[in-house]
Amino acid sequence: MSIVLPVFTPIEETLYLTLCGRALDNHMAQPILGDTMAEQLVHKLGYDCGRFRLSASPIINIAHRAKKLDEVARGFIDRHPNAVGLDLGAGLDSRVVRIAPPAGVDWHDVDFPEVIAARRQLLPQRAHAHGIGADLTDPDWLDAVPGDRPAVIVADGLMAFLTQEDMIALLERLIGHFPSGEIAFNGYTRFAIWAAKHYHGTQSVADLIRSPGFDDPRQPERWNPRLHLVKEILLTREPEVAQFPPALRWFTRLSAHSTALSRRGTTVLHYRF
Ligand SMILES: C[S@@+](CC[C@H](N)C(=O)[O-])C[C@H]1O[C@@H](n2cnc3c(N)ncnc32)[C@H](O)[C@@H]1O
């Protein structure tokens, strides 16, 4: 049976870049994330990931940050088996399948309505996993989410597409809605934003980037005093680097000596509130 997906807007289409990154990682000799479902999905859709001309570095990067965000979510859920989980700008990511939360956790994937409709067609449905079709800049979408339980909130590849004002407002709404929780997202320094606008592999999304980026991981603490940095995860210093192909491993290990250089690549910022 052929799949007829809703027509995606350019911002929604950005989901293919990260989906392809995870699918191509799964195809590598030593996958970092090992997201079999991403590869199956690309195959099912007949999507040509070759159009992005992704080299090993961005493929590994996409898979590596997804793995770190999974770890944050899993760790929180282990400590709070009645938690609420949120994946903001979920795209076609099957994070909830990778994490496999216990029955006491309600998981919510949030993205524009067309994307959530596509997820319903393409991804296996799970008990206690819900899709919310909404614009995250809309102040009302959180009404659909229980606000009396601790929450773990992840956003993978989203923040670059929000203005700084929208990001601050979103954080404020999330923090105001739940009694306590953790939030983690891949951060973009000002250099990372510049690089994303100029690197050939991210050219398809360059015109959609709205964030100016920020360099100090403590900056969000100044936006909202309830937010406290748990860890700035510099991917250059994570154990998975040992699995990288030799040249990339050598370069990454060299960068790991310098925080400034490490921040030029991807960081995952982890906060509690
Ligand atoms: C680069 S994709 C990442 C998708 C997914 N997190 C992943 O890792 O595959 C960015 C996603 O954010 C969503 N997005 C961007 N701005 C949004 C907004 N204002 N409201 C809801 N979703 C948004 C897009 O539709 C897209 O699915």
Side-chain angles (χ1 to χ4, degrees):
M1 198 175 70
S2 68
I3 301 163
V4 183
L5 291 184
V7 177
F8 286 159
T9 62
I11 192 101
E12 292 163 352
E13 287 209 323
T14 63
L15 61 82
Y16 287 118
L17 177 62
T18 38
L19 178 68
C20 283
R22 289 188 300 275
L24 292 167
D25 165 69
N26 194 57
H27 207 66
M28 290 174 86
Q30 287 204 67
I32 300 292
L33 182 67
D35 187 343
T36 318
M37 196 164 281
E39 197 175 352
Q40 285 169 355
L41 210 51
V42 164
H43 187 69
K44 193 163 159 184
L45 291 167
Y47 193 82
D48 173 20
C49 290
R51 66 195 298 173
F52 295 120
R53 296 188 293 133
L54 293 175
S55 61
S57 173
I59 292 169
I60 287 176
N61 208 272
I62 289 168
H64 199 185
R65 78 188 195 207
K67 186 170 180 192
K68 294 295 127 180
L69 290 168
D70 286 2
E71 285 173 6
V72 170
R74 254 191 227 110
F76 188 88
I77 285 168
D78 283 349
R79 283 174 277 123
H80 303 89
N82 67 331
V84 169
L86 288 171
D87 189 347
L88 307 181
L92 292 179
D93 191 0
S94 55
R95 170 162 284 117
V96 67
V97 176
R98 293 195 302 273
I99 294 177
V105 172
D106 274 294
W107 189 267
H108 301 266
D109 289 298
V110 193
D111 208 302
F112 290 112
E114 295 77 10
V115 177
I116 297 301
R119 290 182 65 89
R120 290 202 176 106
Q121 279 192 67
L122 295 167
L123 293 169
Q125 300 303 302
R126 282 180 68 94
H128 308 285
H130 320 273
I132 300 180
D135 182 338
L136 286 159
T137 63
D138 173 348
D140 299 329
W141 67 267
L142 257 175
D143 295 350
V145 182
D148 56 353
R149 287 150 64 183
V152 62
I153 302 154
V154 292
D156 194 348
L158 169 75
M159 295 307 188
F161 303 112
L162 300 181
T163 63
Q164 188 161 292
E165 294 70 32
D166 282 339
M167 180 180 171
I168 294 170
L170 177 61
L171 290 172
E172 186 151 334
R173 283 198 299 278
L174 290 163
I175 293 166
H177 189 76
F178 298 104
S180 62
E182 293 182 13
I183 179 157
F185 51 87
N186 59 307
Y188 294 88
T189 59
R190 286 175 302 162
F191 175 83
I193 290 289
W194 178 89
K197 285 182 177 170
H198 292 87
Y199 169 65
H200 71 79
T202 42
Q203 275 305 297
S204 59
V205 305
D207 291 343
L208 303 165
I209 293 174
R210 297 284 172 268
S211 168
F214 59 91
D215 296 340
D216 180 358
R218 294 207 172 268
Q219 180 63 48
E221 294 178 336
R222 294 191 279 277
W223 290 333
N224 193 309
R226 277 189 63 199
L227 216 47
H228 300 284
L229 182 68
V230 175
K231 189 173 179 195
E232 177 190 27
I233 305 171
L234 299 173
L235 295 191
T236 57
R237 297 179 187 168
E238 289 299 298
E240 292 80 10
V241 175
Q243 286 168 251
F244 288 9
L248 185 61
R249 185 169 65 227
W250 177 82
F251 178 76
T252 307
R253 288 218 159 119
L254 205 63
S255 309
H257 292 291
S258 155
T259 301
L261 272 183
S262 297
R263 283 183 179 154
R264 290 195 155 213
T266 299
T267 61
V268 169
L269 303 177
H270 178 188
Y271 303 88
R272 64 179 160 77
F273 60 88

